[in-house]
């Protein structure tokens, strides 16, 4: 397992995404867009989780990575996806409470 980053990892392309998901037991993926108001509201929460959890916290700009967002079926932002052992485990759409996101991560580790 790779060393957890203390801030969100910006995904550069599909290969980078797959590599990060494969290398980390638990990952939270924040699909966002710069023009999205709710995404801006969620950003500090995602940054706090990256600093506080050993899960990988990834950020995917849906405008930069339209193909990846399409492959993953992302229809609206913000969307948070959880991965466990390389597999998509859960997905939530919209601004989320930090405690709820942390609980979902904890559940994957249990």
């Amino acid at each position: 397992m790779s060393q957890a980053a203390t801030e969100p990892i910006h995904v550069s392309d599909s290969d980078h995404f797959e590599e990060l998901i494969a290398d980390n037991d638990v990952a939270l993926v924040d699909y966002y867009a710069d023009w999205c108001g709710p995404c801006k509201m969620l950003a500090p929460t995602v940054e706090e989780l990256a600093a506080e959890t050993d899960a990988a916290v990834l950020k995917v700009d849906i405008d930069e990575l339209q193909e990846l967002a399409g492959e993953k079926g992302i229809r609206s932002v913000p969307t948070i996806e959880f991965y466990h052992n390389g597999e998509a485990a859960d997905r939530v759409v919209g601004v989320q409470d930090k405690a709820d996101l942390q609980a979902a991560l904890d559940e994957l580790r249990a």
Side-chain angles (χ1 to χ4, degrees):
M1 185 170 135
S2 67
Q3 184 61 38
T6 56
E7 50 190 52
I9 302 162
H10 288 268
V11 175
S12 55
D13 57 34
S14 291
D15 290 341
H16 186 217
F17 180 87
E18 296 302 335
E19 193 178 296
L20 289 164
I21 294 299
D23 287 352
N24 293 280
D25 297 341
V26 176
L28 177 154
V29 184
D30 174 20
Y31 295 92
Y32 75 100
D34 289 336
W35 46 262
C36 162
C39 298
K40 289 183 173 74
M41 289 169 45
L42 185 62
T45 301
V46 171
E47 287 165 15
E48 286 174 26
L49 285 169
E52 295 168 10
T53 180
D54 58 1
V57 176
L58 316 182
K59 289 190 69 84
V60 175
D61 183 331
I62 63 157
D63 291 329
E64 276 179 28
L65 301 174
Q66 290 178 0
E67 197 172 305
L68 176 62
E71 285 169 20
K72 300 298 176 189
I74 304 304
R75 300 272 174 262
S76 59
V77 286
T79 294
I80 301 279
E81 225 178 12
F82 296 93
Y83 283 81
H84 185 248
N85 295 331
E87 299 292 319
D90 198 6
R91 173 183 290 191
V92 291
V93 178
V95 176
Q96 303 296 318
D97 190 62
K98 181 181 170 188
D100 294 341
L101 295 175
Q102 185 64 59
L105 288 170
D106 292 343
E107 203 171 288
L108 291 177
R109 270 196 219 89

